[in-house]
Amino acid sequence: MVKNIIQREMSHFFALSKKAQRLLISYFFYGLANPLVFTFINAYIFRQRVNILNFIIYYFGFFVGIPLMFYINGLLLAKRIKIVILYFLGTILMGISPLIVVFYPHINFFHYFILGFIAGLGTGFHWANRSYFNQKETQSHNRGYFLSLNFSSDTITSVIISFLAGWLIVLGFRYQALMIIGFLFLLICGSLMIGVPYETPKIKKFIINIISPEWWGVRFIQFGNGLVEGITFFFIALLILSKLGNEGALGTLSALMSLISAAGIYIYGRKVRVHHQLPTYLYTVIVGVILSLFLALFFNKLGVTVYVLLDGVVLSFLWLTVGPITMNVIDRQTIQEKGGKYVYIVDAETFLNIGRILSLTICLLLTLFFNQNMALRFSPILLNFLLLVMLLFSFKKLKSWEF
C-alpha cells in the first residue's frame, strides 16, 4: 500500500515539466536555508538586544528593498541579462545580510535598517525571477499541486533544520556557523538553475495601463496577505524566545508547526479546484481571527504554544489560495501580451509589501504608545480582524469576478 502511494505521488511529480522539476529541487535547498537565514537571524537579533524595535526597523528596510529590487530586476531583464543569472545572483545576495549581522559586532538602529534593506534586495531579486518561473512552468490545473508540493517540501525541511539548529545553539554551536551553512544552501539553490534553457522575458513596460476589476481584486488580496503576514517574519521567534525559553524551544516549536502544516497543505493541493480557492481564503482568515483572539485572551505559555503551532498552518493556507488566484488572473490578463506577465508580478508584489509595511507600522504604534508586551499580545488580533472586515465588505464583489 505504501509503495503504491509513493508510486502514485511520484507519477504526479514526473508529470510536471523537466524545468518545473528542476525548480522544485532548487526550491528544496532554499527551504533548507530559510529557517537559518530568517528564523535564527531573528533569534540572534533578539539575543543582542531584547527590543522589538530592532526587528521592526530591520523589516522596514526589508520590505522597502523587496519591491524596489523587483523593479530593478525588470530593468535588467529589459537589457536581456539572462533570467537564470539574475536568479542566481539574487539567491546569493539573500545570504549576505545575515552573514554581516552575525559577524559585525556593533550594530545600531541605522545599521539594522540598512542590513534589512540589503536582505530585502536579495529576497526581491530571488522572488522576482522565481515568481516568473512559477508563472511560466505551471497552468491553472496543476498550480495547486506544484505550490502544495513546494510548501510541503519547505515544511518538512523546516522540521529537520529548525529542530537541529535550535538545539545546536543551546549546546554551544555558533550563530556564525549556522549562517555560513545557510549561505551554502542558498549557493546550491541558485547554482541548480544555471544552464537551464530559460528564455529571458521581453519586458516592454513597467506600469499597468488599464487595470481591470479582477486585477483590483488581486491587489486587494495581496495587500490583505501582506497586512497579516508582515509581522510574522519575526513575530513567532520573538514570542517563543520572550515567553517560552531558548533557541531549543524555538527550534522544537518551529519544527512541530511545520510538521502540522505539511500533511494538510499537500492533501489540499492535490484535491483543490479553482472554485475552492476564494472560499478557502475567507475560511482561513476567519480561523486566523479566532487563533489571534485566543492569543490575546490567553497570553501565557499555553496560549503562545497553541498560537505558534497553528499560525504557520493559517499562513500557508493563505498563500496556497492567493498564489493560484494571482497567477490565473495574470494568465488571463496577458493572453494578448507576450512578455507582459512581469509587470503584473511586480504590481502584485508592490501591494503585498504595502500591506506588510502597514502591518509593521501598526505593531510599531502599539509598542510606542503602550509597550512591547501589548504589541505582542494584540497586534495579531488587530491585523487579522482588520483583514476580515475588509474581506467581508468586499467578498460578494470578489466572488463575482473570475478568479
Side-chain angles (χ1 to χ4, degrees):
M1 180 179 175
V2 174
K3 183 180 178 181
N4 290 337
I5 292 173
I6 293 173
Q7 288 177 338
R8 185 173 67 247
E9 297 308 323
M10 290 300 291
S11 70
H12 285 290
F13 175 76
F14 287 116
L16 297 170
S17 69
K18 295 293 184 184
K19 290 179 181 177
Q21 293 173 33
R22 177 66 73 91
L23 282 174
L24 287 170
I25 296 169
S26 173
Y27 298 168
F28 170 77
F29 284 95
Y30 173 87
L32 291 174
N34 188 63
L36 302 178
V37 299
F38 285 106
T39 302
F40 284 94
I41 198 63
N42 289 334
Y44 181 82
I45 293 172
F46 178 85
R47 291 303 181 202
Q48 302 310 298
R49 289 180 186 172
V50 185
N51 189 342
I52 195 173
L53 296 177
N54 291 334
F55 293 98
I56 293 174
I57 295 297
Y58 182 86
Y59 283 102
F60 261 124
F62 184 76
F63 295 143
V64 169
I66 291 175
L68 177 62
M69 187 49 86
F70 265 71
Y71 180 78
I72 294 172
N73 186 76
L75 295 176
L76 295 172
L77 289 173
K79 293 184 178 296
R80 310 304 296 156
I81 298 175
K82 288 185 177 181
I83 190 169
V84 290
I85 298 297
L86 296 178
Y87 174 81
F88 171 78
L89 293 175
T91 306
I92 297 303
L93 185 57
M94 259 196 304
I96 291 176
S97 178
L99 285 173
I100 296 173
V101 170
V102 297
F103 280 101
Y104 187 69
H106 306 294
I107 299 179
N108 57 32
F109 277 154
F110 177 73
H111 295 142
Y112 277 121
F113 179 84
I114 295 300
L115 291 171
F117 182 71
I118 294 171
L121 292 178
T123 301
F125 217 175
H126 172 90
W127 278 97
N129 300 295
R130 176 169 172 164
S131 297
Y132 183 82
F133 290 149
N134 292 348
Q135 185 78 38
K136 186 79 173 172
E137 292 304 320
T138 60
Q139 293 78 42
S140 60
H141 69 275
N142 66 3
R143 276 179 183 141
Y145 173 73
F146 179 89
L147 293 176
S148 68
L149 184 57
N150 179 207
F151 272 107
S152 296
S153 172
D154 281 353
T155 51
I156 291 168
T157 54
S158 182
V159 169
I160 300 167
I161 298 297
S162 297
F163 182 82
L164 289 176
W167 287 106
L168 283 171
I169 290 293
V170 171
L171 296 173
F173 206 68
R174 293 175 63 84
Y175 276 101
Q176 288 83 349
L178 283 185
M179 295 308 134
I180 291 172
I181 293 170
F183 181 81
L184 291 175
F185 285 145
L186 290 173
L187 180 63
I188 297 170
C189 168
S191 300
L192 282 168
M193 296 306 295
I194 298 293
V196 177
Y198 265 105
E199 181 183 352
T200 299
K202 295 176 182 178
I203 308 299
K204 299 177 181 178
K205 60 180 183 178
F206 293 95
I207 298 175
I208 301 173
N209 297 324
I210 300 174
I211 302 170
S212 68
E214 288 83 1
W215 191 251
W216 274 112
V218 169
R219 284 178 164 184
F220 174 85
I221 58 177
Q222 287 285 345
F223 171 82
N225 256 30
L227 187 65
V228 169
E229 186 207 34
I231 62 169
T232 62
F233 278 77
F234 63 87
F235 199 78
I236 296 298
L238 190 55
L239 267 181
I240 293 172
L241 291 171
S242 61
K243 296 297 178 185
L244 299 179
N246 57 23
E247 287 84 350
L250 174 62
T252 302
L253 284 174
S254 297
L256 287 172
M257 178 177 65
S258 299
L259 198 59
I260 291 170
S261 302
I265 289 169
Y266 185 74
I267 292 168
Y268 173 81
R270 287 269 283 105
K271 303 296 183 183
V272 70
R273 298 293 179 266
V274 173
H275 64 275
H276 295 152
Q277 287 158 350
L278 192 59
T280 302
Y281 183 71
L282 175 60
Y283 300 146
T284 305
V285 171
I286 292 171
V287 172
V289 170
I290 295 170
L291 185 60
S292 56
L293 179 62
F294 182 84
L295 176 68
L297 293 175
F298 304 99
F299 195 62
N300 51 35
K301 288 188 175 183
L302 175 62
V304 169
T305 302
V306 171
Y307 179 83
V308 166
L309 289 176
L310 298 180
D311 185 61
V313 182
V314 172
L315 287 172
S316 295
F317 270 87
L318 286 177
W319 278 115
L320 273 178
T321 51
V322 169
I325 286 172
T326 301
M327 288 191 279
N328 292 344
V329 175
I330 290 175
D331 278 348
R332 289 196 294 273
Q333 298 286 310
T334 57
I335 289 173
Q336 304 300 325
E337 301 178 63
K338 189 175 180 182
K341 294 181 186 294
Y342 189 79
V343 67
Y344 285 92
I345 292 171
V346 173
D347 191 81
E349 189 69 23
T350 300
F351 277 82
L352 170 66
N353 283 283
I354 291 171
R356 287 168 168 172
I357 289 171
L358 180 58
S359 175
L360 288 182
T361 303
I362 291 172
C363 186
L364 175 63
L365 291 174
L366 283 173
T367 303
L368 294 178
F369 284 99
F370 299 98
N371 54 51
Q372 180 169 304
N373 252 13
M374 291 288 283
L376 288 174
R377 185 171 187 171
F378 293 108
S379 290
I381 184 60
L382 284 176
L383 295 169
N384 279 276
F385 185 73
L386 180 57
L387 174 57
L388 179 61
V389 171
M390 291 165 53
L391 192 57
L392 289 175
F393 272 108
S394 57
F395 187 75
K396 189 174 182 180
K397 178 157 285 211
L398 287 171
K399 198 173 180 182
S400 70
W401 292 337
E402 201 176 331
F403 285 140

